[in-house]
Amino acid sequence: MAANQIPWTLQPMVISVVFDRYLLDSARFCSVFAQSVPPRVLPRIILLFEVCEDWHTKVGWRSSAYCWDSNGREDWATAASEWDRKSDGSEGSWVWCGIGPVIAGVGFWLQEASSCIQAQCYTYTSLYMFMRLHRSLSRVLCQMEHCSPIVMFLLIKLILLLLLLQSSNSQLFPIVDEVVGRHGTQVYIIDVERHEQHELLGDGDLESFHRSFLPNSTLDSGEPRLVYSYRHVLSGFAARLTPGELEAVKSKPGFLYAQRDRRYQLATTYTPKYDNRSGMTFNTLMCFNRYLSLTTYNAWGSSMMGQGIIIGVIDSGIKPTHPSFKDTNMPPKPPITKWKGNCSYAGFPCNNKIIGAKGFYKGSHPSPKDTEGHGTHVAGTAAGNFVKDANILGMAKGDPSSGMAPMAYLSIYKVCFPKVRCGRVDTYAAIDQAIKDGVDIISMSIGGFHNDTLYEDVISRGSMAAIQHGIIPVAAAGNDGPMSVTLSHSAPWVLTVGASTTDRRIASTVELGDGRTFLGESAYQPNHWNSTKKWELEYLGKNGDVNASYCLPNELAKFNLRGKIVICEISIVTDEIRGKAAYQVGAEGMIVINEPSQGHTTLSPAHVLPASNIDHPARLEILDYYYNNQPNAFASIRFNGTQFGFTPSPTVASFSSRGPSRMNGGIIKPDVLAPGVNILAAWPRDVGPHPNPLATHTFTFESGTSMATPHVSGIAALVRSKHLGWTPAEIISAIVTTSNDSWTDAGDLIVDDILYKTAGIYATGAGQVNPIRAVDPGLVFGLTLNDYIGYLCGLGYNDKEVTITIGKQTSCNGVKYLTASELNYPSIAINLTRSTMSQTVSRTVKNVGDANEDYSAKITEPVGVAIYLSTYKLKFTRLNQEESYNINFVLKGAYPSQGSDMIRRGKIVWDSGKHVVTTPIAVRFV
């Protein structure tokens, strides 16, 4: 049966129950919903589950994007246009898109399918955001501004039931190729037992072995069934199969596991849907000197700036002609004994900086050139060469500017594309290729799904294959903050990076008519602007119109803003796009105000009109002034250029995902923080109100854990350059144990950028990276593959799940099981319960400092917990000497009452006078 002929047969009462449960626990919605879908319908509504997955990645609700943007299918575009013509933009238009009943069922109110810009794209586990969304719906249902939450909820349930009953005979629109192919096929990743002669098989023989599991070689259309044949990243392949054919494959000897392909988002604060951007980073030398303190007299000098190390960047490609990627002063490419990669795409210019490049899309190999900007920015941050006068519209000038490891090589693997995002099967293929090529570091600024197991998460699983080849994997924690339990890529063999702020502001000050001033930011600071003139303020959301409050372009078109400064809520639509729309209706300027969940974290966009991005405390005062003084509320905007020295700094960026992870046994993640807010780096095109299409010296700001990740990838390259024999675990240890958990010399702990309160250990990890200390850590914690196997068995994985995760046949039989606490990780996380009020773990360290060096322990105990060591001195008389010690945790006093802080932080510091080695500690009361 064709996809557009499948009847929608979900039972109303079942979905109603799902809805109730979603209100209580959004994380469980998708799994509960899946259980309520009839099996014969399930394979045909993969689109729905893609959307479900997006709820966990703060992509927000993007059903309209899925309706027609996923693969550019004309039938979807036609369907969307047809709906758009029917929709008049009024409050009362349901987006249907083939799964309208489901959208209605969860109460998401999308009002114009043509752009999805009106969606409340926040993390719905936040009660505030969820109720904000429902208030928008309640205005439609109740035709009033304020509606009782109980009445509102009952009304939603009533409409839900009516819509589901009405939809019992409705049909689904055709599902796009990204989910279900034209012949009813989907792309699956199939794990199989390794061929007994796997290592001896050539690529052709391995492909033949994988094809033996398939019904035939091609579809009726002539399209090949086999998408990828994987060698290193996993034992298996990706193929196009119908659900029935998949069942046949499952019945064959040697089959282990099947996963459907899935699309991942780049880990940036803006979605690429509206402006084709996804992420950037921070690499002005000026900021390094002020913030990370890299010079040729310290880590840069001792590591030769990463010379000889190859960083593989898995992202959206690269602009190879950007000056950041010139090969000035670069050494020749590594010899063939080390480097097997190449640049085989016609017309793509490689050099001695970019030594490899390849694109991956569903088995094809398109151009690795970057059309979005994200990959260019990430690569420039990690290993961009020196560039003079890097700036954005004259701001944040760095002379010269460079990436963290400017002498490292780059190898580019493009897996992320506009609209269709980053494919799981393509990401596996890219990691597989990076391993074949011989990279040293893999940098992955790609989001994930925090409820994925370690073998479901493409980054965690691919990274396991990487570390078995001596490669250090570095990945973004995600941008689902500020709430806890939102972090992705939590495996202990992955260096997981959160985002921090810097002490720099591109200052743009708002002055109200009563003289109060508020510091904001804007990269666009025009010289011709009269900063002394007060303009009338206008807030389009004053009457409760949510869409208008966000200054969405189609809403702005309804107003005359001539001679006014418009106040706009922060939105998933970029400030540049909204600024153009505001300018077209006469606005003189724009003030962008933060939501509560964004706190003090302000962006500094390349605005197209005078503007200022303001934090949440300022928002409250500005709106209070506006309501109390309209229509006589006035304000001016003045520009103060690039300024440094703002405190507190660093802070945890509001969007940075937090742990603990439910998937890793409680190991502290993120591991570290790195700069990720308003990061200046290479960009493939000019920005600002008057972009020059011929410009080549192009840089911009971007924010996200995407930007933080390549900072750490570059630091890992510096460490690897100096210590070629260290294992990935030892390099991760060096970076973790040398990070700073405080933002002042007095030891004040890093604060959260929401309220400037002390951030939790699962927000900061070990703290802000310190590259100078990382290249000379003194002591390191090591881990072996057997340790990871014991850890996976300790998590409760069965033999098949461990085999899938490790990538080779493995059994828990005879393995020493390890809990997450017992793993020789550079941080320690333990659980105390009412029945288990003490716990002892051990750690082993290796001396990589001076041959003769003595360390003394300094302990900061978590509140209410005593820590006792088996020894308080570590004495080393030779390099690579190992010493072990026990750490005993004992509850002091009464067990914490429910509602108090149930996660307490502490640390053990081993200090030799020359080296300081810190082990972060988290004690969870469960």
Side-chain angles (χ1 to χ4, degrees):
M1 183 181 291
N4 60 354
Q5 297 175 328
I6 298 171
W8 191 264
T9 57
L10 303 179
Q11 295 183 10
M13 189 54 64
V14 173
I15 304 304
S16 180
V17 172
V18 172
F19 182 61
D20 291 349
R21 296 185 70 172
Y22 177 69
L23 284 175
L24 299 174
D25 184 1
S26 67
R28 298 189 61 187
F29 176 83
C30 288
S31 60
V32 176
F33 186 83
Q35 294 168 13
S36 61
V37 177
R40 66 188 184 85
V41 177
L42 184 60
R44 301 293 186 172
I45 57 170
I46 302 302
L47 172 65
L48 169 64
F49 296 104
E50 287 286 357
V51 178
C52 280
E53 291 158 0
D54 278 356
W55 292 336
H56 304 311
T57 58
K58 203 178 179 183
V59 174
W61 185 258
R62 299 188 59 190
S63 64
S64 58
Y66 274 93
C67 289
W68 65 90
D69 278 344
S70 289
N71 201 27
R73 283 276 298 278
E74 290 183 3
D75 47 352
W76 283 84
T78 301
S81 299
E82 182 72 19
W83 170 255
D84 193 33
R85 285 194 293 272
K86 294 178 182 177
S87 171
D88 60 3
S90 62
E91 293 182 326
S93 306
W94 287 105
V95 175
W96 203 251
C97 191
I99 54 171
V102 180
I103 299 173
V106 295
F108 290 104
W109 191 254
L110 304 179
Q111 294 175 353
E112 287 177 83
S114 59
S115 60
C116 187
I117 54 179
Q118 68 291 344
Q120 308 301 304
C121 294
Y122 298 99
T123 307
Y124 290 107
T125 46
S126 164
L127 180 61
Y128 170 82
M129 290 300 177
F130 197 81
M131 292 306 296
R132 179 183 184 87
L133 178 78
H134 280 199
R135 284 202 301 272
S136 174
L137 177 57
S138 68
R139 278 195 294 275
V140 181
L141 299 177
C142 305
Q143 295 299 309
M144 61 178 69
E145 282 197 56
H146 300 288
C147 182
S148 163
I150 296 176
V151 173
M152 174 192 67
F153 178 73
L154 292 175
L155 284 168
I156 292 171
K157 287 193 68 173
L158 176 61
I159 283 193
L160 164 65
L161 294 174
L162 290 174
L163 282 168
L164 288 171
L165 288 170
Q166 182 183 16
S167 68
S168 62
N169 293 319
S170 65
Q171 295 178 336
L172 292 173
F173 281 132
I175 299 177
V176 294
D177 276 348
E178 286 305 309
V179 182
V180 178
R182 292 179 175 87
H183 301 277
T185 62
Q186 301 177 48
V187 176
Y188 291 95
I189 300 151
I190 309 296
D191 283 86
V192 298
E193 294 177 1
R194 289 170 74 93
H195 192 282
E196 57 185 10
Q197 295 181 331
H198 178 89
E199 301 300 334
L200 301 177
L201 293 179
D203 290 344
D205 293 331
L206 185 60
E207 285 188 16
S208 296
F209 169 61
H210 290 153
R211 284 196 184 94
S212 69
F213 287 86
L214 302 176
N216 49 44
S217 297
T218 60
L219 302 175
D220 293 342
S221 63
E223 195 174 18
R225 282 195 180 274
L226 189 67
V227 179
Y228 295 110
S229 176
Y230 303 117
R231 175 175 290 276
H232 300 291
V233 72
L234 57 87
S235 175
F237 55 92
R240 297 176 176 92
L241 298 165
T242 66
E245 291 166 343
L246 175 64
E247 292 304 314
V249 171
K250 289 181 178 180
S251 68
K252 293 197 173 187
F255 170 85
L256 290 175
Y257 181 64
Q259 283 181 294
R260 183 179 53 82
D261 191 17
R262 182 191 245 177
R263 315 308 293 181
Y264 292 83
Q265 189 77 4
L266 289 161
T268 53
T269 55
Y270 270 137
T271 169
K273 169 164 173 57
Y274 298 104
D275 65 344
N276 289 329
R277 297 186 304 175
S278 317
M280 278 184 61
T281 66
F282 165 87
N283 65 349
T284 60
L285 182 57
M286 178 192 303
C287 292
F288 288 162
N289 285 340
R290 297 184 59 88
Y291 222 71
L292 298 181
S293 305
L294 280 171
T295 73
T296 54
Y297 297 102
N298 49 50
W300 265 359
S302 63
S303 67
M304 298 184 294
M305 302 185 189
Q307 184 171 316
I309 301 304
I310 306 164
I311 301 176
V313 178
I314 298 179
D315 213 284
S316 67
I318 195 170
K319 181 182 180 181
T321 57
H322 193 281
S324 290
F325 309 119
K326 290 183 177 179
D327 59 2
T328 305
N329 297 323
M330 288 293 298
K333 297 176 185 178
I336 190 66
T337 53
K338 173 176 173 59
W339 179 242
K340 308 294 192 301
N342 58 62
C343 293
S344 57
Y345 192 86
F348 187 91
C350 279
N351 55 19
N352 286 336
K353 165 58 78 173
I354 303 173
I355 62 172
K358 194 169 187 177
F360 300 84
Y361 183 69
K362 287 187 165 185
S364 66
H365 299 290
S367 171
K369 287 184 179 179
D370 186 9
T371 58
E372 289 190 320
H374 188 276
T376 297
H377 199 288
V378 165
T381 302
N385 210 333
F386 291 97
V387 179
K388 292 184 178 180
D389 194 29
N391 69 87
I392 172 173
L393 302 175
M395 299 294 111
K397 290 186 176 181
D399 196 8
S401 162
S402 81
M404 294 299 296
M407 290 293 104
Y409 301 111
L410 286 167
S411 186
I412 306 302
Y413 305 91
K414 180 176 181 176
V415 301
C416 303
F417 298 84
K419 302 178 183 177
V420 299
R421 305 179 296 163
C422 320
R424 173 190 268 162
V425 296
D426 303 320
T427 303
Y428 276 134
I431 297 173
D432 203 58
Q433 187 66 50
I435 294 171
K436 291 178 184 177
D437 290 345
V439 303
D440 298 290
I441 320 285
I442 299 181
S443 185
M444 296 167 284
S445 292
I446 296 175
F449 304 94
H450 65 266
N451 282 332
D452 276 358
T453 62
L454 301 184
Y455 58 84
E456 291 171 330
D457 177 30
V458 63
I459 301 300
S460 295
R461 189 174 171 197
S463 296
M464 169 52 70
I467 66 164
Q468 293 182 57
H469 290 81
I471 300 168
I472 301 101
V474 186
N479 297 334
D480 294 338
M483 289 175 298
S484 60
V485 198
T486 54
L487 177 137
S488 302
H489 317 320
S490 62
W493 51 84
V494 178
L495 183 47
T496 312
V497 186
S500 63
T501 64
T502 71
D503 67 344
R504 182 190 64 194
R505 302 289 184 272
I506 314 301
S508 173
T509 302
V510 172
E511 182 175 347
L512 300 180
D514 61 8
R516 283 181 289 170
T517 60
F518 304 95
L519 177 68
E521 294 198 70
S522 174
Y524 174 53
Q525 305 204 353
N527 294 325
H528 64 271
W529 172 252
N530 183 356
S531 62
T532 62
K533 183 173 181 177
K534 296 287 195 301
W535 302 90
E536 182 182 347
L537 280 176
E538 183 62 86
Y539 176 51
L540 304 182
K542 59 187 175 184
N543 295 320
D545 188 333
V546 174
N547 283 357
S549 72
Y550 289 111
C551 297
L552 305 179
N554 51 355
E555 293 294 326
L556 286 172
K558 303 173 184 177
F559 296 88
N560 181 1
L561 298 177
R562 189 167 302 280
K564 297 180 180 181
I565 292 177
V566 62
I567 301 171
C568 302
E569 307 256 2
I570 199 165
S571 167
I572 63 167
V573 184
T574 65
D575 293 337
E576 294 90 331
I577 289 177
R578 297 190 297 165
K580 288 179 182 177
Y583 180 79
Q584 288 171 357
V585 293
E588 296 291 338
M590 184 166 69
I591 298 172
V592 180
I593 54 178
N594 272 6
E595 294 278 4
S597 64
Q598 283 128 6
H600 295 279
T601 302
T602 53
L603 307 181
S604 186
H607 283 288
V608 297
L609 78 172
S612 186
N613 285 54
I614 296 293
D615 66 13
H616 181 254
R619 164 214 175 97
L620 299 177
E621 294 197 50
I622 291 172
L623 288 183
D624 180 70
Y625 166 79
Y626 172 80
Y627 281 120
N628 289 330
N629 291 277
Q630 63 170 317
N632 297 309
F634 293 87
S636 63
I637 299 174
R638 66 172 181 265
F639 302 112
N640 308 106
T642 306
Q643 298 185 8
F644 295 90
F646 287 90
T647 59
S649 176
T651 65
V652 181
S654 62
F655 55 78
S656 186
S657 289
R658 276 75 162 162
S661 168
R662 295 191 180 104
M663 297 298 128
N664 71 358
I667 291 171
I668 297 174
K669 294 280 181 170
D671 290 297
V672 294
L673 299 173
V677 179
N678 297 327
I679 304 307
L680 185 72
W683 199 245
R685 55 189 172 274
D686 203 14
V687 298
H690 308 291
N692 179 0
L694 301 178
T696 58
H697 199 82
T698 50
F699 296 81
T700 195
F701 285 139
E702 274 291 339
S703 299
T705 51
S706 274
M707 288 73 256
T709 299
H711 280 85
V712 179
S713 299
I715 293 171
L718 300 180
V719 180
R720 167 55 64 86
S721 180
K722 187 176 179 182
H723 306 285
L724 295 176
W726 285 10
T727 67
E730 289 171 337
I731 291 176
I732 291 173
S733 170
I735 293 171
V736 169
T737 60
T738 57
S739 294
N740 301 322
D741 64 358
S742 61
W743 68 274
T744 67
D745 292 339
D748 297 301
L749 293 174
I750 292 173
V751 301
D752 203 305
D753 216 31
I754 304 300
L755 297 172
Y756 285 163
K757 293 183 178 179
T758 300
I761 187 71
Y762 284 101
T764 64
Q768 182 85 339
V769 287
N770 186 326
I772 298 172
R773 291 176 54 203
V775 298
D776 184 21
L779 303 174
V780 292
F781 296 82
L783 287 163
T784 66
L785 181 61
N786 286 336
D787 293 326
Y788 293 128
I789 292 172
Y791 160 75
L792 292 171
C793 296
L795 284 180
Y797 283 23
N798 60 37
D799 288 355
K800 185 172 78 170
E801 291 168 333
V802 175
T803 294
I804 293 166
T805 308
I806 297 297
K808 58 185 70 173
Q809 191 64 41
T810 311
S811 171
C812 290
N813 186 33
V815 171
K816 179 184 178 182
Y817 284 39
L818 297 173
T819 65
S821 304
E822 293 169 329
L823 200 64
N824 196 45
Y825 206 65
S827 62
I828 300 173
I830 69 158
N831 294 334
L832 295 181
T833 67
R834 293 185 184 277
S835 59
T836 306
M837 296 190 182
S838 67
Q839 185 176 344
T840 300
V841 300
S842 65
R843 287 295 185 269
T844 299
V845 292
K846 181 166 73 174
N847 179 32
V848 294
D850 294 342
N852 292 284
E853 198 163 0
D854 297 341
Y855 290 83
S856 298
K858 300 176 182 178
I859 300 174
T860 301
E861 294 181 335
V863 174
V865 178
I867 296 178
Y868 304 98
L869 302 181
S870 60
T871 179
Y872 293 83
K873 300 283 186 182
L874 294 175
K875 184 178 180 63
F876 296 94
T877 58
R878 66 183 186 278
L879 287 176
N880 299 321
Q881 177 183 341
E882 293 186 347
E883 293 291 333
S884 299
Y885 55 94
N886 295 329
I887 311 104
N888 183 226
F889 298 87
V890 180
L891 178 68
K892 294 192 300 186
Y895 192 85
S897 59
Q898 201 67 34
S900 61
D901 185 6
M902 303 302 283
I903 299 178
R904 311 284 174 85
R905 70 185 297 165
K907 60 184 176 181
I908 299 171
V909 178
W910 293 103
D911 191 343
S912 71
K914 179 179 180 179
H915 297 105
V916 178
V917 183
T918 302
T919 297
I921 292 170
V923 176
R924 301 195 300 169
F925 295 95
V926 295

